[in-house]
Each structure stands twice: as structure tokens, then as C-alpha cells.
């Protein structure tokens, strides 16, 4: 197994390219400790978003509407199921609106957020797979607001992994695609879109 203290140059290039993408201001990006034992070398980051957030990208969101994690795995010897030496893994969780509950099309729509992000950024990949799941949770006790019924949260969760195929390990487009995925899941408008407003009359 390679010496984890001295990552190979190709892995360092991949990490540098992933970290080079500037997030849009509504997204809060932080480094994470990568899960151990998944690969000889790994790297991870988290992204949080809230449709009402308009900060500078560094403040903390206590309960974000949308959150995600992106993990880079690298095995210099390659893994057959990866079909390569790198693998990207992502997890995104987004709050659902009441009208979206029970929508049979939601899993397909959620998956399209990812595939559309790939198409938008031009990220190259193979061996893509994943799941989209609707979840419901109800809070009891603790510091929740008191009332007739305990508060309920309904979410959509997307888990996916894929093998980036850029031979030079420049994965900036994949970082951009992940940012676009989180933004779409959070309901943020496309970058550069001007919100409609009423003209005073």
C-alpha cells in the first residue's frame, strides 16, 4: 500500500483542482476528514446551502435546507469496479416542500439534478450509479417547539458515485458539477439570473 503520508503527484493534482473552484456565495464550503479505509488516499469536502442565505460563503448555517458531501478516493493500482484509479462519491440531502411529498417522479427528478449538472459543466465520467430516496422524520422532546403535533421533516437524499475520466486528473468540472447539484437541490436560481420584481406603480 502506498505511503499515505506522501500522496502521489496525480492525487495532489486532483485535490488541487477540486479545491480550485470558487463556490457561489450562497454555498458554504468546508473541508472534511475523509472516511478511512475506503482507499489508500482520500479527500472530502462539505457544502451547505439555504435558499434564504446570501452571505459571503463562510458563515455557518445551523440547519441548512440542503447539505452535501463530496469524497475523492484514489487507488494507484486501480479497482475493477471503479474502472479506473479515482472514484468520486457524493451525498446530498435537501428539504422537501409539502407539495412534493409522495411525488412518484421525484426520484427521477432528483437524479436529473446530477446528470444535468454533468452536462452543464462538461464533466467526463464512467460507471455512474446511485440512489434517490425520500425520507421522513418527526422530532420528539428536546428543544423542539411545543404544539399539537411534533414537527415533521421530509427530505430527499441522493447518493451517487462515478469515475472521472480526465487523464490529467483535473477534476475542476466535477467540483463545479457538485456545486451545481447542491444549488439545484436547494432551489437556487441559475447563476446570473435576475429575480422578477414588481415595478412600483
Amino acid at each position: 500500500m502506498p505511503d499515505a503520508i506522501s500522496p502521489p503527484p496525480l492525487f495532489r493534482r486532483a485535490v488541487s483542482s477540486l479545491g480550485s473552484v470558487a463556490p457561489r456565495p450562497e454555498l458554504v464550503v468546508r473541508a472534511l476528514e475523509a472516511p478511512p479505509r475506503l482507499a489508500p488516499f482520500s479527500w472530502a469536502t462539505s457544502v451547505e446551502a439555504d435558499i434564504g442565505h446570501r452571505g459571503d460563503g463562510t458563515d455557518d448555517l445551523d440547519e441548512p435546507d440542503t447539505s452535501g458531501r463530496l469524497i475523492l478516493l484514489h487507488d494507484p493500482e486501480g479497482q475493477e469496479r471503479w474502472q479506473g484509479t479515482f472514484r468520486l462519491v457524493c451525498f446530498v440531502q435537501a428539504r422537501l416542500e409539502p407539495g412534493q411529498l409522495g411525488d412518484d417522479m421525484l426520484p427521477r427528478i432528483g437524479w436529473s439534478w446530477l446528470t444535468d449538472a454533468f452536462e452543464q459543466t462538461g464533466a467526463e465520467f464512467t460507471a455512474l450509479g446511485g440512489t434517490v430516496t425520500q425520507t421522513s422524520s418527526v422530532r420528539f422532546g428536546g428543544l423542539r417547539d411545543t404544539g399539537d403535533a411534533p414537527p415533521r421533516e421530509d427530505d430527499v437524499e441522493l447518493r451517487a458515485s462515478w469515475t472521472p475520466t480526465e487523464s490529467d486528473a483535473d477534476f475542476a468540472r466535477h467540483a463545479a458539477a457538485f456545486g451545481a447539484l447542491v444549488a439545484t437541490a436547494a432551489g437556487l436560481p441559475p447563476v446570473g439570473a435576475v429575480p422578477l420584481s414588481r415595478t412600483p406603480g
Side-chain angles (χ1 to χ4, degrees):
M1 179 179 293
D3 181 2
I5 299 178
S6 302
L10 202 61
F11 176 75
R12 294 199 300 267
R13 176 175 173 80
V15 169
S16 177
S17 66
L18 288 169
S20 68
V21 178
R24 55 189 293 176
E26 300 94 335
L27 303 181
V28 178
V29 179
R30 284 189 173 81
L32 283 180
E33 183 174 349
R37 297 183 296 277
L38 294 180
F41 303 98
S42 58
W43 169 92
T45 189
S46 71
V47 176
E48 295 179 341
D50 192 302
I51 196 167
H53 173 62
R54 294 295 185 272
D56 60 5
T58 61
D59 55 325
D60 187 24
L61 301 178
D62 292 334
E63 294 187 5
D65 286 339
T66 306
S67 61
R69 299 189 298 271
L70 181 67
I71 302 169
L72 173 69
L73 306 175
H74 178 50
D75 186 341
E77 297 182 1
Q79 296 191 19
E80 183 177 356
R81 60 191 178 90
W82 291 3
Q83 301 179 25
T85 61
F86 285 97
R87 189 74 173 167
L88 282 165
V89 181
C90 82
F91 169 78
V92 175
Q93 183 178 45
R95 196 76 46 83
L96 289 176
E97 298 295 331
Q100 297 174 300
L101 302 182
D103 186 347
D104 292 339
M105 288 299 296
L106 184 61
R108 292 183 179 275
I109 293 171
W111 191 251
S112 73
W113 296 340
L114 176 61
T115 56
D116 288 351
F118 285 144
E119 183 175 353
Q120 174 186 335
T121 61
E124 301 176 2
F125 63 91
T126 189
L128 171 66
T131 61
V132 178
T133 308
Q134 295 186 56
T135 66
S136 295
S137 60
V138 179
R139 295 187 182 184
F140 296 92
L143 300 178
R144 72 170 182 83
D145 295 333
T146 58
D148 295 334
R152 170 173 167 168
E153 293 182 355
D154 297 280
D155 302 304
V156 58
E157 296 179 352
L158 184 150
R159 300 173 186 267
S161 64
W162 64 93
T163 298
T165 57
E166 290 85 354
S167 59
D168 60 356
D170 184 352
F171 299 153
R173 292 180 178 180
H174 295 267
F178 180 65
L181 164 63
V182 174
T184 300
L188 298 175
V191 175
V194 179
L196 297 177
S197 59
R198 295 184 177 182
T199 303

